[in-house]
């Protein structure tokens, strides 16, 4: 489903499954089972062994391409694949609201940046108590790739999340790769809004053949900005990456490698 108008209802799957769905959609925006979700919510749903193949589309997720003023809770993507152009996530392409207690085990691939296991990009809200098991990959530059979210901005935060999946960049020098978050950014109207990652754990490998990488956060999206991010009480598997944060824009307190 790829729509200009938004779905604004509330869907409770009552812990039922949608199985073996297959979508092939090209060069569209806000692509997902629910398309673009505004002023609604999805909860208690599993999507199993399904394919969301969208090639060059922007804002792509198995559940929704984009969400705003809409809570996603207790939803799980089990197996399958999600592919798109940019802002591609296992559940949500671009999230402007909270995603809580969700998981993904689909393989997620983006042609460009902003690709994550739960959301491709997260703006001003939070992803909390979520887990990713799927491999996360960017195939061409620039690539912001994260196990939970590719890019977080506008004071967004990731709390109590775990990544098990392999996170892989395109091999370009502009890649920004992290086990939990690829890149952090800012609202140009308020550059002081700080993003943070707290009480998270990464066991997935972080592979980059160019650019910057970290077991938690890769680094800053905008080189010209003074924006900073914080990583607090987070741990990663020894050997998953060389350091917790890929550049000096990220402050690290507590945590470490285990």
């Amino acid at each position: 489903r790829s729509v200009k108008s938004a779905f604004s209802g509330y869907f409770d799957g009552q812990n039922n499954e949608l199985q073996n769905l297959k979508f092939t959609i090209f060069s569209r925006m806000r692509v997902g089972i629910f398309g673009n979700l505004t002023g609604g919510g999805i909860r208690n749903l599993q999507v199993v062994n399904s394919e969301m193949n969208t090639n060059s589309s922007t804002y792509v997720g198995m559940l929704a391409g984009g969400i705003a003023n809409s809570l996603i809770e207790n939803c799980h993507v089990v197996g399958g694949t999600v592919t798109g152009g940019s802002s591609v996530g296992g559940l949500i392409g671009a999230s402007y609201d909270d995603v809580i207690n969700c998981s993904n085990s689909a393989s997620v691939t983006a042609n460009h940046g902003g690709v994550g296991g739960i959301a491709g990009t997260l703006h001003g809200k939070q992803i909390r108590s979520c887990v990713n098991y799927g491999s996360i990959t960017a195939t061409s530059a620039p690539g912001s790739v994260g196990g939970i979210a590719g890019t977080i901005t506008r004071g967004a935060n990731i709390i109590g999340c775990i990544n098990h999946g392999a996170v892989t960049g395109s091999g370009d020098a502009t890649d920004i790769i992290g086990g939990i978050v690829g890149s952090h950014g800012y609202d140009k109207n308020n550059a002081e809004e700080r993003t943070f990652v707290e009480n998270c754990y990464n066991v997935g490998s972080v592979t980059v053949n160019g650019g910057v990488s970290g077991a938690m956060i890769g680094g800053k999206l905008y080189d010209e900005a003074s924006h900073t991010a914080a990583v607090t009480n987070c741990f990663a598997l020894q050997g998953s990456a060389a350091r917790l944060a890929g550049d000096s824009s990220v402050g690290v307190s507590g945590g470490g490698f285990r």
Side-chain angles (χ1 to χ4, degrees):
R1 176 180 166 115
S2 174
V3 294
K4 293 182 179 179
S5 60
F7 175 77
S8 58
Y10 291 87
F11 184 88
D12 188 335
Q14 298 181 346
N15 297 313
N16 288 303
E17 297 180 354
L18 298 175
Q19 298 183 356
N20 303 316
L21 304 178
K22 185 172 182 178
F23 299 83
T24 302
I25 302 170
F26 298 101
S27 300
R28 300 294 178 91
M29 293 183 68
R30 300 179 180 89
V31 178
I33 293 172
F34 291 88
N36 188 35
L37 181 65
T38 301
I42 307 169
R43 61 176 58 189
N44 304 326
L45 178 66
Q46 294 190 64
V47 182
V48 179
N49 294 330
S50 295
E51 299 178 13
M52 184 67 66
N53 299 315
T54 66
N55 193 16
S56 58
S57 297
T58 302
Y59 309 128
V60 179
M62 185 67 78
L63 292 183
I67 67 166
N69 300 316
S70 304
L71 175 66
I72 308 298
E73 185 175 19
N74 193 33
C75 292
H76 308 279
V77 175
V78 182
T81 59
V82 180
T83 62
S86 60
S87 289
V88 182
L91 278 74
I92 307 296
S95 179
Y96 291 82
D97 214 323
D98 296 341
V99 182
I100 299 172
N101 192 32
C102 294
S103 68
N104 170 67
S105 60
S107 297
V108 185
T109 305
N111 295 334
H112 299 293
V115 54
I118 302 299
T121 55
L122 174 68
H123 307 281
K125 293 293 184 176
Q126 66 174 288
I127 296 175
R128 177 160 52 89
S129 302
C130 292
V131 183
N132 174 64
Y133 299 94
S135 62
I136 312 299
T137 307
T139 59
S140 62
S144 292
V145 190
I148 299 298
T151 298
I152 61 175
T153 71
R154 302 181 185 179
N157 50 81
I158 310 290
I159 302 172
C161 293
I162 303 172
N163 174 57
H164 294 269
V167 181
T168 307
S170 69
D172 189 85
T174 61
D175 284 347
I176 310 173
I177 315 298
I180 299 297
V181 174
S183 63
H184 67 91
Y186 72 111
D187 184 340
K188 292 184 178 181
N189 295 318
N190 185 359
E192 300 305 316
E193 290 184 331
R194 196 180 198 197
T195 54
F196 65 89
V197 175
E198 184 176 282
N199 298 329
C200 290
Y201 195 77
N202 175 58
V203 298
S205 61
V206 178
T207 303
V208 59
N209 294 316
V212 297
S213 64
M216 285 297 131
I217 297 184
K220 185 163 51 180
L221 181 60
Y222 302 106
D223 288 340
E224 73 278 14
S226 61
H227 187 271
T228 59
V231 171
T232 304
N233 195 34
C234 292
F235 292 88
L237 183 68
Q238 189 73 42
S240 59
R243 57 190 66 87
L244 288 182
D247 70 24
S248 60
S249 69
V250 182
V252 179
S253 61
F257 289 94
R258 289 177 169 172

